Amino acid sequence: MSDKNDQFRHQPDARSDLIELARSLITKGPHKFEKTTRRMRAMFDKTWLFDTTSAHHVWEHPYYPQYYIPTSDIRKSWIIRDTAIDDEESVFLASLHGEMRVSDRVLVFEKGPLAGLTRLEFKSMDAWYEEDQPIYGHPKDPYKRIDILPSSRKITVKVGDLIVAESTLNMFLLETMLRTRYYMPKTAMVGRSRM
């Protein structure tokens, strides 16, 4: 191992649990991971850190997933990569620098199955949102629950080129192993299609 990585073997680090997690994910991989269609947002230092529909559920252990966010969707100037954890530079320790707060509970993956994704410590954020619903504690396992989430994402229904319904006051039904179903109020119907 190179000298730059020897510090992780010989010095105690406040982030030793992150280093251990990163090494495990590099060598063994996650238990499971998959992209989610949910709109994910998080606030850090009272500012939106990201807003994405490309997050991934990553099972670091068999019990429940964490959200990993595409690095490209995070505020560029707020995330600072530190030292690589391995010689191949597969994953880096990183930190978030807001206007008033800093968090060093970040992993940035550059290679392997999680390449291009960033792990943000759930508790380090001010708030997390799935669609427009705040979530607490940790993400829930999508294989063990059904969610109906309010969403302000714009949904448009067309027949041919004709728009028959359009709304930003929707409910998304997320069921295990099924596509998301979208429900909108009756008032979403437009023009002559209204009943």
Side-chain angles (χ1 to χ4, degrees):
M1 237 183 211
S2 69
D3 290 338
K4 70 177 180 178
N5 292 319
D6 284 343
Q7 66 177 320
F8 295 129
R9 291 189 308 186
H10 303 297
Q11 295 176 0
D13 189 296
R15 299 184 284 180
S16 60
D17 59 328
L18 278 180
I19 294 165
E20 185 179 325
L21 171 64
R23 285 185 175 150
S24 174
L25 291 170
I26 292 167
T27 57
K28 300 175 191 169
H31 287 268
K32 177 169 54 172
F33 70 99
E34 61 190 31
K35 189 175 177 191
T36 178
T37 60
R38 299 165 192 239
R39 178 185 184 196
M40 294 303 309
R41 294 177 289 165
M43 291 195 86
F44 179 75
D45 197 16
K46 300 178 184 175
T47 303
W48 291 114
L49 182 62
F50 63 85
D51 185 341
T52 186
T53 55
S54 299
H56 284 69
H57 281 116
V58 177
W59 282 260
E60 301 167 346
H61 49 71
Y63 312 111
Y64 55 85
Q66 291 294 331
Y67 283 118
Y68 281 47
I69 307 302
T71 306
S72 59
D73 289 346
I74 298 171
R75 282 180 171 265
K76 309 270 184 280
S77 61
W78 284 33
I79 192 163
I80 298 172
R81 286 191 336 183
D82 298 331
T83 309
I85 289 179
D86 62 337
D87 288 332
E88 291 78 30
E89 297 187 339
S90 303
V91 61
F92 290 79
L93 288 170
S95 53
L96 288 174
H97 294 261
E99 301 287 327
M100 304 294 288
R101 287 186 56 209
V102 174
S103 172
D104 65 355
R105 306 292 299 169
V106 181
L107 292 173
V108 177
F109 291 83
E110 295 291 331
K111 297 178 183 172
L114 301 175
L117 298 177
T118 295
R119 180 193 190 274
L120 303 164
E121 186 85 12
F122 200 83
K123 293 177 184 175
S124 295
M125 300 297 107
D126 297 339
W128 285 83
Y129 291 84
E130 290 175 330
E131 297 298 335
D132 294 338
Q133 184 72 37
I135 55 175
Y136 305 99
H138 59 78
K140 308 302 184 251
D141 189 329
Y143 290 97
K144 296 180 179 169
R145 62 183 289 125
I146 295 173
D147 284 321
I148 301 173
L149 300 175
S151 179
S152 57
R153 273 201 274 172
K154 186 175 184 179
I155 301 295
T156 303
V157 179
K158 290 183 176 182
V159 176
D161 290 334
L162 179 66
I163 296 174
V164 295
E166 200 165 50
S167 176
T168 57
L169 298 170
N170 306 298
M171 300 297 283
F172 291 6
L173 174 61
L174 299 122
E175 298 178 278
T176 301
M177 307 294 284
L178 297 174
R179 287 184 181 177
T180 303
R181 286 193 272 177
Y182 307 95
Y183 293 86
M184 54 180 56
K186 288 182 181 180
T187 56
M189 298 187 72
V190 296
R192 293 187 347 188
S193 61
R194 285 197 181 177
M195 296 182 177

